[in-house]
Structures are given as C-alpha cells and as structure tokens.
Amino acid sequence: MTIKQYLRNFIPLKLFMLLSLVSFSQNDYTVSGKVVDKDAGIPLEYATITFNDVTGQLSPQGGVTDFDGNFSIEVKEGKYNIIVEYISFEPKKYNNRTISSNINLGTVALGLNADSLDEVVVRSETTQVDVRLDKKIYNIGKDLTTQGATISDALSNVPSVTVDVEGAISLRGNENVRILINGKPSAMAGFGDTDVFQQLPADAIERVEVITSPSARYDAEGTAGILNIILRKEKTLGLNGSVSANLGYPTNSSISANLNLRTDKFNIFNTTGVYYRKSPGNASYDNRYYGDDLSIDQSLEDREYDRRRQGINTNLGMQYFLNDNSSITGSVFMRFGDDKDISENNTSRFLNDDLINKTTRTEIEKEEDESYQYALNYENKFNDEGHKLTADFQYSYDNEDKPTSIVENFTFPTETLQGEDRIFESEKKNEFLIQADYVLPMGDAQFEAGYRGNFEEEVTDYTLESLDLGTNQFVVDSLLTNKFTYNENVNAIYTQYGNKLGKFSFLLGLRLEQTQLKGKISSEFDNQEALEQELGTDVDINFDKNYLGLFPTVNLIYELGEEENISLGYNRRINRPRGWYINPFPSRSSRTNIFQGNPDLDPAYSDAFDIGYLKQWDKLTLTSSIYYQHETESFERIQEDTGNTTVDGESIIRSIPINLATNDRFGGEFGIIYNPEKWLRFNGSFNIFNSQTEGNFNGVDYGTNNTSWFARFSSKITLPSEIQWQTTGFYRGPNKNATTESDGIFSMNLAFSKDLIKDVATISLNVSDLLNSRKRRSFTDNRDGADDLDYFTSDSEFQWRERQITLGLIYRFNQPRNAKNDRRGNDGGAGIDEGGDFEG
C-alpha cells in the first residue's frame, strides 16, 4: 500500500472514529442563575430558560426556575442562543454563548413588556392574580378543590364569579356575562349554553380572566362583562404531559390526558377526556291559586332527577413556526355526548284542603350531542417589541338530537292514563368567525386596530306527538310542531390607543358593531294570527332587526406607590337575546309550569363605571373596587298566569323574558390574599350590590329594589407528611326580583392531596358541597297590588346536584408538579391570546 492510498483510506476512517468518540463523550455542564422582576426585585417562579444549538445538530434544551427564581440546568457542551422568558415580560437573550464549563449567568432581571402597560402582578402559592388595565387574571391551577371537578366547579372558586344551583354563571351577581374560550366564542362553551361546563374537566384550565371593564378589542356582548377561559397548553421542550383519573360517588368517573410535544420548529398539543357521571337532584313546589270559580286552589309537586352524562372530548392542535417571527396554528375540537335525564314528578291537587287527585309524571329525555370546531391562526411578529399581526378563522358546528317521552298517570282517585307525549327535537348550530388584529407598540405607547365578524345560525326542529286516548294512536300536534331558525350576525371594527406617562397609564378605545337578528318560524298551523293568539303574543313571530352601535371604553391606572395603585374604567356593552329566549313555542317540561321565549325581545344596553384600588404588603394583598351600571331595555324573567288551564282545571303558569325599562346596579367588592407562613395560606372575597329595576308588562308593575351579597373564603394548610388540605366556603345572600324572593345559600368544599411520588404522582380526595346545603329556596307572589284576586304563589326548593365525593390520581411525566399549570412563556398557540394586556 502506498502512502497516498494510506492517507486516502486510513486517515478518514480514523477521523470518523475520532469525531464519533467526541460526539458520544460530549460533556454536560451546569448553567445556573436567578430570574427576578427588574422593577420589584421579586423572584419569578417558573420562568423558562431555553438553549437553542446554533448549529442545529442538538435538540433544544431547557428548564424552569424554582420558587425562589433560581435555576440549575444540565446542558451539553456546545454553542447556544439562550433565551430567558416570563409571560408579559421582555425576554432576555444571550446569543452565541459557548458552554464548555460550568457557568453562572448571575441575576437575570426581566422588565415588563412594552405592550403590558402598567401590569401589576400579585403572586402567591395559592392564587396568582395579574391586575391589568382592563382585567384581572386568576390562575386556579393549584386549587385542590378543582381536582376531579368540572369547569363549573372551578369557576365557582373565582372571585366576582358565582355559579348557581342550575349551573348559570354570574359576574358580580349579573347573569348577562359573555363567556369566551381562548379569547373567542367557542363550541367548547356550548355557544353560550353553560351546561357544557358541567361536563368538561377543570384541569383543562390554565387561568380565568375576569374582565369587568373590557377594552375595545373585546366583543361588546355581555353587559356584566367577560369571562375568558384560557385552556392549558404545555410550553416545556420535548414530550411531556399528564394523565388523571377520577372516581366518585354519586357516580363520577373520568380519565383525561394532556400531552405536548415541542421542538424548535413545531408544537403539538392534545387534551382528551372520557367521562361518565350521574347527578341526582330534587325539587319541590307548593303552588297556591287565588280567585273565583277555582276547581283547584293548591298543588304540591315533588320531583326527582336522575341525570346521566357520558361522552368523550378531545382537542388536537399543532403550532408550526414558519420562522423566528411567525407561526401558523391549526386545531380541531370534538365532543361526543350521550346523555339521559329521567324526571319523576308526583303531584297532589287540592280544593279547600280536600284532595282532588294525584298524578305521576315520568319524563325521559335523551340527548345525543356532537360538536366540532376547526380553528386556524396566523401570527406574524415584526419584531421583539410586540409589533405583530394576527389573523383567525374558526368554524363551529353543534348538533343535538333530543327524543323525549312523557307519560302521566292518575293515581288517585283512580289509576288511569292521563296522557302521553312524544317529542322529537333537534338543534343545529353553525358559527363562523373571522378576525384580524394589528398591534403597533410605540415606546411606552401602543396602538391597536382590528375587525371581527361573527355569523351564527341556530335551527330548532320540534315535533310533538300526543296520544289520542280514544284511538290509542299518536297524533301530531300541528300547533306546537314547528321549525324555528334564528340568525345572529355581527360585524365589528375597533381601534384603541394606550400609553404610560410616568405613574399614569391609560387605554382608550372605540368599537363599532352592526348587529342583525333574524327569526323565522315554519309551522303546519297556517293561520298566523290564530297561531300568535294561541301562543299568547301579539307580535310578529317572524322578524328581521338591525342595530348599529358605538361602544367606547376608557381604562386608567395611577400608581400611588410601587405596591399600590388606583384604577378607573368605563365601558358601554350590549346584551343580545339568545335563540331560546326568542322562540315563542312553550316548553313541555311541566303541564303547569312552562317556559316561553319572546320574539319581541330587543338587545339591552349598559353603561358601566368601575373604580379599583390595589395594595400589596409583604404577606398580604388587597384588591377592591366600587362599580355602577345603568342598563336600558334590561332582560327580566317574570312569571304570569296564562289564563289557560289543564284538562283537570289547573292553572298554567308561564315564565317569559321581557324588556323592562331600566336597571341600575351599584356595588362594591374586595378580596384579600394572605400568606402568613409557607404552610398556611388564606384568600377571601366579598361582594355586595344593590339592583333597582323599573318597568311594566301586561299592566303589571315589575319594578323592584334588591340588595344582596356573596362571600367566598379559602384556606390551604400543609399538614405533616406534606399532606395538602384546602377548605372553601361560599355564601350567597338572600335576593329578590319583582315577584320572587330567594333565601341565602351556603356551601362548603373540602380537598386533600398527597404526593405518592414527588412531582410525578399525586392522589387527591375532594368533597363537593360537604353539608349537602347547596339548595335554592324561593317564594313567588305575582299579585300586582291592585287587588287580591286572580293571582298565585309558589313556594319551592331546588337542588341541582347532591353532595359529591371524588378520589383522583394524577401522573406526570417530564413535567414538574406545580409547573404544569403555572409555566409562563411568550408564545401563544391554538389562537390563544396570551401576550399582552389588551389581548382578547
């Protein structure tokens, strides 16, 4: 072999072996340091540190800071671009840093992002509150009572928010609240139907934004404000996630998985859950009737509810980074439900205290539900200062088939069949959303502009068949069989400008919205005039209405000190009626108590003012506000006698929504977060409000003056053996409207958790409504005050769900226990608006 051949064959082989040896024996070195808030000097827990290999040969590496802001990360030898990030703070970058030995980056101080004008961050082990110009952000990830619970349970623990026994959600006592998922209307929110929140798991939530003074970037819908639910999506590099399983009594079983795979080029995320639950409930009614020539003057009803909820939901998405400044995200959400509700209603009827008859009514309602949502998001960051353009397209579809059978039998004085109905109802909902937003920072200032189009159609197809007792054949009820199509189309443009001048920050905005509301009824009953007369309404049941409105917003903050500020907010809002509030065909859940929509219902408008104060000490944080709202054409659900009776002479009472003249609401709230020791933490809130309503309907004055309040308290204690114990109590004071007074409601939840394997596996025990006291007790009196004739009273008690005990287990991989819900980052994903104060 010649020297030339030797060099050609042997040396390359040796070089290859040498390079392979070097690559496989590559050393690991420790990079350490501490991350703090530049202005406050507070350690930033769960700030992310990312190491990107400049050659692209090594996968990205990284880690997060601990409770004291410290980090110590093992990194392979090489040259990296290092990024230190924390949400709403300017990231710090160290480019082309060679790591060939252990290094300490020292203290990394991060300053607030330019588009986070005067954000105030309050941190605590139990609750994190971000107080911003237009909202408060509550991180509920560490709330033990939400483990194994639903989104409704989680929302009931958020200050300013209440969830009643039927699942209706209120903000500061006002039910006219707009609920968004990741900043947008969503099929996951059931198109405004909050029943879905009693099915989806609470551990899907990362945080809840309580927006009582929404900026112009948000939809003007919801006179009470906005609740924006941000779903969890992991930001740690590599494959990570968690699996949770729950088992409870009454039956409450579920299993869900959250998986995330992230590289420097893409991020794939998925949340999937399967559930099977039963929610027993009960109700009782004592109805008394007053007037002349009555065949029945009292009826006593006892109801038992057996609700079954079973289904599967999944959310799958991928964010692809086109380059360092732009990304595109696609996601699909699917939910399939197979529910069944059985209601047993036993009624006794009296005249002058003598028993007239008894009936038993059994209603079985099935519901097969399928929901889909497809979303596409594009984001282009022109620079690292927040200059960006985002565009969104979203399509949502929901289909519900609800076959129902109703059988009613006389059990006294004889046992005979009173009647039998079959209902075939289907609801189809389609919604398109198109949105574009532009953000331009200018030093401490920021300019925004955008467009949003929302186009919804809801079709309810309703067929009622009643058994002809003479022929024993089912006959279609041509009067109540109908098809109702409801359209709501909203086009909006907005602009807003914010700036910080020393200790003073402001955000001014203006939104223009054009609303079209259309309703059309197809019925086999051809005589329109007779149909309207039969339905008890003299308005056109087919309508096409258009509204054009301007909605200004003003939000101000003045810093009294480093840990103290005062804020002022003003906004104008609109409350549009939903489809079931418009549909004039009555429900069939009861022969004597029905709900009927009102096609003459117009949107309500409100002007709201809010003054807030925040003060933070070493271990104590106080938030407080005083608010006032003036609403015109406000909605009110009233009860009235229809003048019709059942075949056995019992009066039929209907509940119907109407536009009253005005509603004035004045209130105040405050909350505290107190951490005296690392093992002991408290937080509580108190809200009191007065509501004055004026208005008349059908000659009856429904004006009223109501003062009510609610309070919430939570404590979290670390017991020996690191067992976590949390107690949550809630009390809602008595309240009333024009015809109904409701007693106060108290409920208490307990939760315990223990790490079986530190930071990997956790077991929890959750008791919801420990005292089984979450019941609504009400008394209704509809007399108009002019005389004491022809009126009724109703004394009722209702319990939606009985006490629940749930045992849960969570297993995590590549995911620190406390970081799973609290990790911060500047990236979005799946259309989630996380980056700035004014994101919506």
Side-chain angles (χ1 to χ4, degrees):
M1 179 180 291
T2 65
I3 296 177
K4 189 173 183 180
Q5 290 172 327
Y6 177 88
L7 293 175
R8 184 186 300 123
N9 298 323
F10 186 74
I11 292 181
L13 177 61
K14 288 293 187 180
L15 287 175
F16 175 78
M17 295 175 63
L18 179 62
L19 290 174
S20 299
L21 181 62
V22 170
S23 64
F24 281 102
S25 62
Q26 193 171 30
N27 294 325
D28 289 346
Y29 296 104
T30 301
V31 180
S32 58
K34 183 174 184 176
V35 183
V36 301
D37 184 326
K38 179 180 178 180
D39 297 320
I42 300 173
L44 298 180
E45 183 185 10
Y46 299 120
T48 59
I49 300 91
T50 307
F51 298 82
N52 293 315
D53 179 24
V54 296
T55 67
Q57 296 180 1
L58 298 175
S59 299
Q61 304 165 68
V64 297
T65 58
D66 61 17
F67 180 81
D68 298 314
N70 297 315
F71 64 90
S72 180
I73 304 168
E74 296 293 324
V75 182
K76 294 184 181 298
E77 182 178 359
K79 182 180 286 188
Y80 297 90
N81 292 328
I82 306 174
I83 305 175
V84 183
E85 298 174 292
Y86 192 87
I87 190 169
S88 300
F89 285 74
E90 291 282 0
K92 182 155 289 188
K93 300 180 180 179
Y94 302 87
N95 292 328
N96 298 315
R97 294 295 296 265
T98 299
I99 298 177
S100 57
S101 62
N102 296 336
I103 63 173
N104 190 318
L105 295 179
T107 299
V108 182
L110 301 183
L112 283 175
N113 195 303
D115 63 359
S116 297
L117 299 180
D118 201 51
E119 171 190 332
V120 179
V121 183
V122 181
R123 298 175 184 83
S124 100
E125 182 69 15
T126 307
T127 304
Q128 173 170 307
V129 185
D130 295 352
V131 183
R132 305 191 181 185
L133 271 168
D134 57 347
K135 60 192 171 189
K136 294 183 180 73
I137 302 175
Y138 294 92
N139 189 315
I140 61 175
K142 296 181 183 179
D143 191 336
L144 300 181
T145 59
T146 65
Q147 296 182 13
T150 66
I151 289 181
S152 287
D153 298 321
L155 290 177
S156 67
N157 290 332
V158 175
S160 304
V161 179
T162 54
V163 182
D164 71 11
V165 293
E166 294 179 281
I169 298 171
S170 301
L171 182 59
R172 290 175 170 175
N174 189 342
E175 291 187 7
N176 297 331
V177 57
R178 178 68 156 171
I179 299 177
L180 305 176
I181 302 290
N182 296 336
K184 302 174 182 65
S186 174
M188 300 179 74
F191 297 92
D193 182 357
T194 58
D195 285 349
V196 71
F197 293 144
Q198 301 179 42
Q199 303 168 23
L200 296 178
D203 59 9
I205 301 177
E206 179 175 328
R207 63 183 187 271
V208 176
E209 299 179 348
V210 179
I211 311 171
T212 53
S213 184
S215 65
R217 191 173 197 259
Y218 291 97
D219 186 357
E221 172 74 21
T223 55
I226 294 173
L227 286 180
N228 186 22
I229 299 172
I230 303 298
L231 300 181
R232 178 152 52 93
K233 181 176 68 68
E234 192 63 50
K235 303 177 180 69
T236 303
L237 296 171
L239 177 65
N240 51 78
S242 65
V243 178
S244 64
N246 301 287
L247 187 64
Y249 177 82
T251 305
N252 179 21
S253 56
S254 65
I255 184 169
S256 63
N258 298 284
L259 303 175
N260 198 93
L261 175 62
R262 178 170 180 146
T263 71
D264 59 342
K265 200 62 181 176
F266 63 85
N267 187 23
I268 299 175
F269 48 92
N270 173 252
T271 299
T272 299
V274 181
Y275 58 89
Y276 182 87
R277 301 186 181 96
K278 287 189 175 181
S279 299
N282 58 84
S284 63
Y285 299 84
D286 181 356
N287 298 330
R288 297 175 183 265
Y289 309 95
Y290 301 88
D292 296 328
D293 301 323
L294 295 176
S295 56
I296 293 173
D297 60 12
Q298 182 184 17
S299 69
L300 299 176
E301 290 186 35
D302 286 307
R303 299 183 188 181
E304 295 290 336
Y305 302 98
D306 184 10
R307 306 180 186 88
R308 184 201 70 190
R309 301 288 184 264
Q310 66 177 15
I312 181 173
N313 55 78
T314 184
N315 184 39
L316 175 65
M318 175 177 171
Q319 181 180 18
Y320 181 76
F321 303 99
L322 301 173
N323 52 50
D324 290 341
N325 296 318
S326 63
S327 67
I328 187 168
T329 303
S331 66
V332 57
F333 167 79
M334 294 180 289
R335 178 167 60 90
F336 305 96
D338 183 10
D339 302 338
K340 184 178 180 179
D341 290 355
I342 301 177
S343 301
E344 294 280 353
N345 187 349
N346 295 302
T347 304
S348 300
R349 300 172 181 84
F350 301 85
L351 179 64
N352 298 324
D353 295 328
D354 293 328
L355 179 63
I356 302 300
N357 62 57
K358 286 185 177 181
T359 59
T360 297
R361 175 187 174 93
T362 301
E363 178 178 346
I364 302 176
E365 178 184 296
K366 298 180 181 179
E367 181 176 323
E368 296 180 358
D369 181 21
E370 55 179 348
S371 298
Y372 303 90
Q373 178 176 288
Y374 308 94
L376 193 63
N377 166 264
Y378 170 76
E379 180 180 55
N380 184 30
K381 298 179 180 179
F382 299 101
N383 55 36
D384 293 333
E385 283 70 49
H387 185 198
K388 64 180 180 179
L389 173 69
T390 59
D392 293 272
F393 172 79
Q394 182 173 287
Y395 168 68
S396 301
Y397 169 81
D398 183 73
N399 179 43
E400 298 179 1
D401 290 319
K402 296 189 290 187
T404 302
S405 64
I406 303 174
V407 179
E408 188 161 3
N409 292 281
F410 282 108
T411 59
F412 178 85
T414 59
E415 294 187 1
T416 58
L417 177 65
Q418 191 276 331
E420 185 173 350
D421 293 335
R422 296 191 309 201
I423 299 172
F424 304 93
E425 182 179 8
S426 69
E427 294 182 4
K428 291 183 173 62
K429 304 176 185 179
N430 288 275
E431 180 177 1
F432 291 90
L433 180 143
I434 303 172
Q435 179 174 334
D437 299 285
Y438 175 72
V439 181
L440 176 63
M442 298 174 289
D444 285 338
Q446 180 170 297
F447 169 79
E448 289 188 52
Y451 162 81
R452 174 181 285 187
N454 246 78
F455 311 99
E456 303 178 38
E457 182 177 81
E458 177 180 336
V459 180
T460 302
D461 199 338
Y462 184 94
T463 300
L464 171 64
E465 296 179 352
S466 298
L467 181 67
D468 187 322
L469 298 179
T471 63
N472 203 33
Q473 299 291 321
F474 282 95
V475 179
V476 174
D477 188 321
S478 60
L479 174 62
L480 294 182
T481 296
N482 69 94
K483 185 176 182 180
F484 180 60
T485 303
Y486 181 65
N487 293 90
E488 179 181 300
N489 302 319
V490 181
N491 288 280
I493 57 174
Y494 78 93
T495 183
Q496 63 183 22
Y497 174 78
N499 204 346
K500 181 176 182 180
L501 306 173
K503 296 183 178 182
F504 176 72
S505 301
F506 66 87
L507 178 62
L508 309 176
L510 185 64
R511 188 178 186 92
L512 175 67
E513 288 194 351
Q514 185 269 335
T515 300
Q516 181 188 38
L517 304 179
K518 294 174 60 178
K520 182 180 179 180
I521 289 180
S522 301
S523 172
E524 296 181 12
F525 201 78
D526 294 331
N527 190 324
Q528 190 83 351
E529 182 177 345
L531 176 61
E532 293 174 0
Q533 182 177 359
E534 184 67 25
L535 293 175
T537 176
D538 56 359
V539 300
D540 189 358
I541 57 179
N542 296 314
F543 57 89
D544 187 349
K545 302 177 182 180
N546 285 271
Y547 308 87
L548 185 66
L550 278 174
F551 301 92
T553 63
V554 178
N555 289 287
L556 314 172
I557 283 184
Y558 182 75
E559 297 178 14
L560 300 174
E562 288 188 5
E563 310 294 343
E564 185 179 18
N565 70 69
I566 188 170
S567 61
L568 173 65
Y570 162 76
N571 63 91
R572 180 168 172 80
R573 310 287 295 164
I574 185 175
N575 186 27
R576 305 179 184 93
R578 305 303 299 173
W580 69 291
Y581 256 39
I582 294 289
N583 192 338
F585 286 86
S587 67
R588 296 285 290 181
S589 58
S590 169
R591 288 196 302 135
T592 57
N593 294 280
I594 64 173
F595 175 85
Q596 184 176 0
N598 179 7
D600 200 33
L601 208 60
D602 291 320
Y605 295 88
S606 73
D607 293 274
F609 300 85
D610 188 293
I611 300 176
Y613 172 76
L614 178 141
K615 173 66 175 177
Q616 184 178 7
W617 293 270
D618 182 34
K619 297 181 179 181
L620 176 67
T621 298
L622 169 69
T623 59
S624 60
S625 64
I626 298 173
Y627 54 90
Y628 169 74
Q629 181 186 77
H630 176 74
E631 185 175 7
T632 58
E633 299 297 323
S634 61
F635 297 167
E636 183 75 22
R637 283 180 62 170
I638 58 99
Q639 286 184 303
E640 63 176 8
D641 193 330
T642 62
N644 299 322
T645 61
T646 62
V647 292
D648 47 353
E650 187 172 358
S651 297
I652 298 177
I653 308 302
R654 74 170 178 176
S655 175
I656 184 172
I658 62 172
N659 286 117
L660 282 181
T662 62
N663 177 271
D664 288 287
R665 180 181 294 267
F666 178 83
E669 63 179 347
F670 74 88
I672 59 169
I673 301 172
Y674 180 46
N675 297 343
E677 303 290 343
K678 290 191 68 174
W679 57 270
L680 179 62
R681 303 163 193 98
F682 300 100
N683 74 68
S685 61
F686 177 80
N687 191 307
I688 184 170
F689 55 90
N690 173 265
S691 176
Q692 299 182 24
T693 303
E694 295 181 357
N696 293 271
F697 183 72
N698 287 345
V700 178
D701 183 6
Y702 288 99
T704 187
N705 189 325
N706 175 47
T707 298
S708 188
W709 58 278
F710 60 87
R712 180 181 289 106
F713 172 81
S714 177
S715 66
K716 186 177 180 183
I717 300 173
T718 302
L719 300 173
S721 301
E722 296 187 353
I723 297 174
Q724 303 292 319
W725 169 24
Q726 182 171 321
T727 304
T728 301
F730 175 81
Y731 180 78
R732 178 173 180 173
N735 65 90
K736 65 178 182 178
N737 61 20
T739 60
T740 302
E741 296 183 3
S742 298
D743 295 340
I745 299 175
F746 174 77
S747 63
M748 176 182 292
N749 300 335
L750 286 182
F752 300 88
S753 77
K754 164 68 177 173
D755 269 359
L756 300 179
I757 305 175
K758 186 173 178 58
D759 292 337
V760 174
T762 304
I763 189 171
S764 64
L765 178 66
N766 183 3
V767 184
S768 176
D769 194 10
L770 176 68
L771 306 177
N772 204 36
S773 58
R774 195 170 173 82
K775 302 177 181 180
R776 182 188 63 204
R777 297 179 176 89
S778 301
F779 181 77
T780 298
D781 185 341
N782 84 323
R783 76 184 79 190
D784 59 13
D787 53 56
D788 292 332
L789 300 177
D790 298 324
Y791 70 94
F792 73 93
T793 64
S794 179
D795 196 352
S796 64
E797 178 181 287
F798 179 81
Q799 183 177 25
W800 176 262
R801 186 180 65 185
E802 298 173 3
R803 176 175 45 231
Q804 187 93 49
I805 302 174
T806 304
L807 182 67
L809 177 66
I810 300 177
Y811 176 80
R812 312 170 190 85
F813 54 95
N814 299 336
Q815 184 184 72
R817 174 187 178 188
N818 291 334
K820 72 183 182 73
N821 287 324
D822 297 307
R823 184 162 296 119
R824 314 289 182 249
N826 282 338
D827 63 303
I832 298 177
D833 299 316
E834 296 177 322
D837 245 18
F838 318 119
E839 304 287 320

